[in-house]
């Protein structure tokens, strides 16, 4: 899992767009898996803007969406089909015939799930865009969904319904059911791009990365995927202990530097030994000077190796102290910045 921490929605869109562009540059007829929700909106704006300015084309792209409410007409503003139409598809040159989303109005919902599952299997995504629910859901795979369950009818949790209420006139109108791509189906994508913003996603992001290895956080299944890019703002990344990871990386670098220094020392020693042999052969007559030289070598060697060891220890403990201080500084800075951010948003 790779992480990019961004400052705001604009940066999130730019960073995420790089991933999409990379895929399109490699393959103009790429299969892109799309998500709905508020988080990818800046990315879709960026894609539409880039299409207009730079002409990036989607005419051969095939699009699959993750999910759709049951019982909401595709023309209804609350439907995910309409969301995709308004937010992206009508603003780029994608062929409507190449877009697919589960049909939540299908008479036979199970047959619709089977159809969608087969379509996803036939066209695995080159890149799958994901958001994450505050409860860790991906698509509408709520906690404790079996990963192997293919596209299915999901019962939405009260929290998910509340979080998605904004699109409906009345929270009670949020459907109880949705059709959703399954977790293992999501994992068939070649690359995954997960986006999250805001403090209310921090716990879900923590659980995704560091939480229990079970199905309580569906997003934790992404740990099994070899190519996941996670783009987060600082608030969503708030519970991740990047400081610890940085410390581990610094310790690794210090260890590697010490190993390199030791190798250099050994190389110098063998050079010196070779020089010593030549000197010995050439200076048979000056035996006293040889003895002095030999003594100096021993002294020098002893001093060097001792210094080396002492130096390493000293460096490491100094580095530890520095890291601890840096850690505190970073924490202080972060706290200050958060205060500033809070002040700034309060000012607004
Ligand atoms: C939507 C979807 C959901 C959302 C998630 C986050 O297609 O699959 O999993 O990605 O609920 O939604 P937002 O971005 O609105 O916070």
């Amino acid at each position: 899992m790779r992480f990019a921490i961004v400052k705001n929605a604009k940066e999130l869109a730019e960073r995420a767009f790089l991933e999409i562009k990379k895929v399109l540059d490699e393959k103009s007829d790429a299969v892109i898996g799309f998500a709905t929700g508020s988080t990818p909106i800046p990315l879709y704006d960026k894609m539409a803007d880039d299409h207009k300015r730079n002409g990036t084309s989607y005419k051969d792209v095939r699009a699959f969406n993750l999910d759709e409410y049951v019982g909401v007409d595709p023309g209804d503003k609350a439907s995910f089909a309409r969301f995709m139409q308004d937010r992206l598809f009508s603003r780029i040159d994608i062929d409507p015939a190449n877009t697919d989303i589960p049909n939540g109005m299908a008479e036979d919902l199970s047959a619709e799930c089977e159809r969608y599952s087969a379509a996803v299997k036939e066209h695995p995504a080159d890149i799958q865009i994901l958001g994450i629910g505050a409860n860790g859901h991906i698509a509408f795979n709520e906690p404790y969904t079996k990963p192997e369950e293919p596209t299915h009818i999901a019962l939405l949790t009260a929290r998910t319904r509340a979080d998605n209420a904004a699109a409906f006139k009345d929270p009670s109108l949020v459907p109880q059911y949705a059709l959703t791509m399954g977790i293992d189906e999501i994992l068939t994508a070649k690359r995954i791009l997960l986006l999250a913003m805001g403090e209310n996603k921090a716990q879900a992001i923590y659980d995704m990365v560091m939480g229990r290895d079970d199905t309580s956080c569906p997003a934790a299944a992404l740990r099994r995927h070899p190519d996941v890019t996670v783009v987060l703002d600082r608030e969503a990344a708030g519970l991740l202990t990047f400081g610890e990871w940085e410390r581990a990386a610094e310790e690794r670098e210090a260890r590697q530097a010490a190993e390199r220094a030791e190798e250099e020392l050994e190389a110098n020693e063998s050079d010196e030994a070779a020089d010593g042999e030549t000197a010995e052969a050439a200076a048979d007559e000056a035996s006293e000077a040889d003895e002095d030289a030999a003594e100096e070598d021993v002294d020098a060697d002893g001093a060097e190796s001792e210094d080396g060891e002492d130096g390493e220890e000293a460096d490491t403990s100094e580095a530890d102290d520095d890291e601890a201080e840096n850690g505190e500084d970073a924490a202080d800075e972060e706290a200050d910045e958060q205060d500033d951010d809070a002040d700034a948003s309060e000012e607004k």
Side-chain angles (χ1 to χ4, degrees):
M1 241 178 225
R2 284 180 299 274
F3 291 85
I5 311 295
V6 296
K7 287 202 193 80
N8 49 41
K10 186 170 175 279
E11 269 191 20
L12 174 120
E14 277 161 7
R15 183 61 188 79
F17 180 66
L18 286 181
E19 298 296 319
I20 302 292
K21 190 75 172 69
K22 199 156 65 186
V23 170
L24 288 172
D25 286 346
E26 277 170 18
K27 200 176 170 193
S28 60
D29 60 347
V31 178
I32 303 184
F34 287 99
T36 57
S38 58
T39 316
I41 291 176
L43 167 63
Y44 298 161
D45 288 344
K46 171 83 191 166
M47 287 167 76
D49 187 52
D50 163 80
H51 168 70
K52 202 166 145 192
R53 282 170 196 267
N54 307 318
T56 302
S57 178
Y58 298 82
K59 72 178 172 47
D60 298 321
V61 163
R62 190 179 277 271
F64 285 93
N65 261 84
L66 290 168
D67 41 19
E68 179 61 285
Y69 293 117
V70 167
V72 179
D73 189 89
D76 190 316
K77 270 194 172 290
S79 77
F80 289 164
R82 177 73 184 270
F83 173 100
M84 288 311 298
Q85 196 53 32
D86 292 352
R87 294 287 180 178
L88 185 65
F89 295 159
S90 63
R91 304 162 74 196
I92 56 176
D93 61 345
I94 197 163
D95 180 351
N98 285 345
T99 67
D100 204 348
I101 186 163
N103 176 8
M105 295 293 281
E107 256 177 51
D108 183 342
L109 291 172
S110 298
E112 173 59 7
C113 289
E114 277 171 33
R115 176 198 74 81
Y116 206 69
S117 226
V120 169
K121 196 168 183 182
E122 195 182 338
H123 305 284
D126 291 291
I127 186 162
Q128 173 66 58
I129 302 163
L130 290 179
I132 184 169
N135 63 359
H137 72 217
I138 46 173
F140 274 143
N141 292 284
E142 300 282 39
Y144 304 108
T145 304
K146 288 196 185 80
E148 60 275 18
E149 207 174 339
T151 302
H152 59 277
I153 307 168
L155 174 63
L156 303 181
T157 63
R159 184 169 190 184
T160 296
R161 292 181 68 227
D163 287 348
N164 285 266
F168 294 85
K169 286 194 189 85
D170 189 308
S172 68
L173 295 176
V174 182
Q176 291 205 323
Y177 295 95
L179 302 187
T180 182
M181 208 186 271
I183 294 172
D184 282 351
E185 284 173 340
I186 291 172
L187 294 181
T188 62
K190 293 192 188 81
R191 297 176 189 183
I192 291 186
L193 173 63
L194 184 134
L195 314 175
M197 291 196 71
E199 206 183 338
N200 69 325
K201 300 291 172 70
Q203 186 64 49
I205 292 294
Y206 175 87
D207 291 342
M208 172 180 87
V209 184
M210 325 273 271
R212 284 199 310 225
D213 190 10
D214 60 17
T215 52
S216 57
C217 173
L222 299 177
R223 294 179 205 166
R224 288 195 266 130
H225 195 284
D227 192 343
V228 180
T229 301
V230 181
V231 186
L232 303 170
D233 68 357
R234 292 173 67 132
E235 288 71 23
L239 296 177
L240 293 181
T241 47
F242 281 112
E244 278 171 29
W245 299 1
E246 277 164 16
R247 264 197 289 286
E250 278 169 14
E251 275 168 23
R252 196 171 52 241
E253 272 168 30
R255 241 189 348 263
Q256 284 164 354
E259 277 165 19
R260 274 197 304 275
E262 213 167 290
E263 276 167 24
E264 272 172 33
L265 195 68
E266 274 170 20
N268 286 344
E269 274 175 1
S270 59
D271 281 356
E272 276 169 24
D275 287 353
E277 275 168 28
T278 323
E280 248 176 72
D284 275 349
E285 288 162 22
S287 60
E288 266 185 37
D290 269 355
E291 274 169 33
D292 288 350
E295 267 172 35
E296 270 169 30
D297 275 354
V298 170
D299 286 351
D301 283 349
E304 268 176 38
S305 66
E306 268 178 12
D307 280 351
E309 278 165 22
D310 287 354
E312 228 178 84
E313 272 174 32
D315 280 356
T316 317
S317 60
E318 263 172 38
D320 280 344
D321 288 345
D322 283 348
E323 276 161 17
E325 278 171 23
N326 286 344
E328 279 166 24
D329 284 348
D332 286 352
E333 257 175 47
E334 210 165 291
D336 287 350
E337 276 177 31
Q338 274 169 9
D339 284 352
D340 289 346
D341 288 352
D343 289 350
S345 56
E346 268 167 31
E347 272 165 34
K348 273 181 221 156

